[in-house]
Each structure stands twice: as structure tokens, then as C-alpha cells.
Amino acid sequence: LLMATPFTAVKIGTREIAHRVITDRMRQDILSDRIKPGTELPSTAKLAESWKTSMSTMHIALRNLVKEGLLE
């Protein structure tokens, strides 16, 4: 399964958990400035759609990034 965002694309294997892969990829994008500080992200629904995942999976990934202090 190939999941894409405006920032990245990632291939999800059957043994990987989608929210972990999304969290990891978005973290990389934030730390490498592909997602710039102050950038307003699309809505959770739009992000979920672009990643071809459920909103609950996207919520988990975003919540992880908030806990890490990478998103507000």
C-alpha cells in the first residue's frame, strides 16, 4: 500500500502499523523542515484522505506528534 501526502510518500508493509509509519514520516518532514514551523496543516480529514487511511489512524499519528512537542 502506497500512502502519500503533499510532503512524502511511504510504502506500508503488512507488518507495519500505519499510525507509526505516518508518525515517523511526518516527524522526519518536520525535523528536516519539509514541514516548516508555523505551517498550517490540512484538516485531519484531508490528511487521512491524502494518506489513504482512516481518521482514527490519522488522529493517533497527530496525537503522537503533539505528545512529542512537534505539533501544537
Side-chain angles (χ1 to χ4, degrees):
L1 172 64
L2 185 65
M3 302 174 88
T5 70
F7 311 107
T8 60
V10 65
K11 187 170 183 172
I12 303 270
T14 56
R15 300 177 84 181
E16 296 175 285
I17 297 174
H19 70 82
R20 288 186 188 159
V21 173
I22 294 167
T23 300
D24 290 345
R25 187 50 60 98
M26 289 186 74
R27 181 187 308 107
Q28 290 171 4
D29 288 347
I30 291 166
L31 295 175
S32 68
D33 277 343
R34 278 179 281 210
I35 299 175
K36 305 262 185 234
T39 298
E40 187 173 332
L41 295 177
S43 68
T44 303
K46 294 245 187 232
L47 285 170
E49 181 181 327
S50 69
W51 280 94
K52 297 183 179 17
T53 193
S54 69
M55 284 195 37
S56 61
T57 297
M58 199 70 234
H59 276 290
I60 293 168
L62 294 172
R63 187 173 57 233
N64 290 340
L65 294 167
V66 168
K67 285 180 183 178
E68 293 178 23
L70 296 171
L71 294 178
E72 294 181 349

